[in-house]
mmCIF file of all heavy atoms in Angstrom:
data_model
loop_
_atom_site.group_PDB
_atom_site.id
_atom_site.type_symbol
_atom_site.label_atom_id
_atom_site.label_comp_id
_atom_site.label_asym_id
_atom_site.label_seq_id
_atom_site.Cartn_x
_atom_site.Cartn_y
_atom_site.Cartn_z
ATOM 1 N N LYS A 2 150.037 22.161 -119.815
ATOM 2 C CA LYS A 2 149.014 23.179 -120.063
ATOM 3 C C LYS A 2 148.466 23.694 -118.737
ATOM 4 O O LYS A 2 148.418 22.972 -117.751
ATOM 5 C CB LYS A 2 147.866 22.586 -120.880
ATOM 6 C CG LYS A 2 148.261 22.194 -122.273
ATOM 7 C CD LYS A 2 147.066 21.697 -123.036
ATOM 8 C CE LYS A 2 147.486 21.315 -124.439
ATOM 9 N NZ LYS A 2 146.340 20.898 -125.237
ATOM 10 N N ASN A 11 133.505 42.454 -109.902
ATOM 11 C CA ASN A 11 132.455 43.457 -110.015
ATOM 12 C C ASN A 11 132.786 44.298 -111.239
ATOM 13 O O ASN A 11 133.960 44.552 -111.520
ATOM 14 C CB ASN A 11 132.440 44.346 -108.773
ATOM 15 C CG ASN A 11 132.223 43.553 -107.507
ATOM 16 O OD1 ASN A 11 131.182 42.963 -107.315
ATOM 17 N ND2 ASN A 11 133.235 43.515 -106.652
ATOM 18 N N PRO A 34 131.566 67.249 -122.611
ATOM 19 C CA PRO A 34 130.491 66.295 -122.881
ATOM 20 C C PRO A 34 130.844 64.934 -122.261
ATOM 21 O O PRO A 34 132.030 64.589 -122.168
ATOM 22 C CB PRO A 34 130.454 66.196 -124.410
ATOM 23 C CG PRO A 34 131.153 67.410 -124.909
ATOM 24 C CD PRO A 34 132.127 67.798 -123.849
ATOM 25 N N THR A 53 139.868 55.084 -116.979
ATOM 26 C CA THR A 53 138.933 54.403 -117.873
ATOM 27 C C THR A 53 138.237 55.455 -118.715
ATOM 28 O O THR A 53 137.816 56.487 -118.211
ATOM 29 C CB THR A 53 137.887 53.594 -117.068
ATOM 30 O OG1 THR A 53 138.568 52.594 -116.314
ATOM 31 C CG2 THR A 53 136.872 52.938 -117.976
ATOM 32 N N THR A 62 137.711 43.954 -107.593
ATOM 33 C CA THR A 62 137.459 42.824 -106.704
ATOM 34 C C THR A 62 137.340 43.333 -105.277
ATOM 35 O O THR A 62 137.708 44.470 -104.976
ATOM 36 C CB THR A 62 138.595 41.796 -106.779
ATOM 37 O OG1 THR A 62 139.805 42.414 -106.338
ATOM 38 C CG2 THR A 62 138.766 41.251 -108.197
ATOM 39 N N ASP A 64 139.155 42.528 -102.841
ATOM 40 C CA ASP A 64 140.459 42.683 -102.194
ATOM 41 C C ASP A 64 141.208 43.933 -102.644
ATOM 42 O O ASP A 64 142.367 44.121 -102.322
ATOM 43 C CB ASP A 64 141.318 41.441 -102.393
ATOM 44 C CG ASP A 64 141.678 41.179 -103.847
ATOM 45 O OD1 ASP A 64 141.255 41.957 -104.728
ATOM 46 O OD2 ASP A 64 142.382 40.185 -104.101
ATOM 47 N N TRP A 68 140.921 47.574 -112.308
ATOM 48 C CA TRP A 68 141.552 47.765 -113.606
ATOM 49 C C TRP A 68 140.518 48.139 -114.662
ATOM 50 O O TRP A 68 139.353 47.806 -114.557
ATOM 51 C CB TRP A 68 142.328 46.522 -114.027
ATOM 52 C CG TRP A 68 141.502 45.294 -114.257
ATOM 53 C CD1 TRP A 68 141.079 44.805 -115.465
ATOM 54 C CD2 TRP A 68 141.008 44.371 -113.292
ATOM 55 N NE1 TRP A 68 140.351 43.649 -115.309
ATOM 56 C CE2 TRP A 68 140.293 43.362 -113.969
ATOM 57 C CE3 TRP A 68 141.074 44.290 -111.898
ATOM 58 C CZ2 TRP A 68 139.670 42.302 -113.315
ATOM 59 C CZ3 TRP A 68 140.453 43.240 -111.263
ATOM 60 C CH2 TRP A 68 139.767 42.265 -111.960
#
Side-chain angles (χ1 to χ4, degrees):
K2 294 183 180 183
N11 301 295
T53 298
T62 62
D64 64 359
W68 64 100

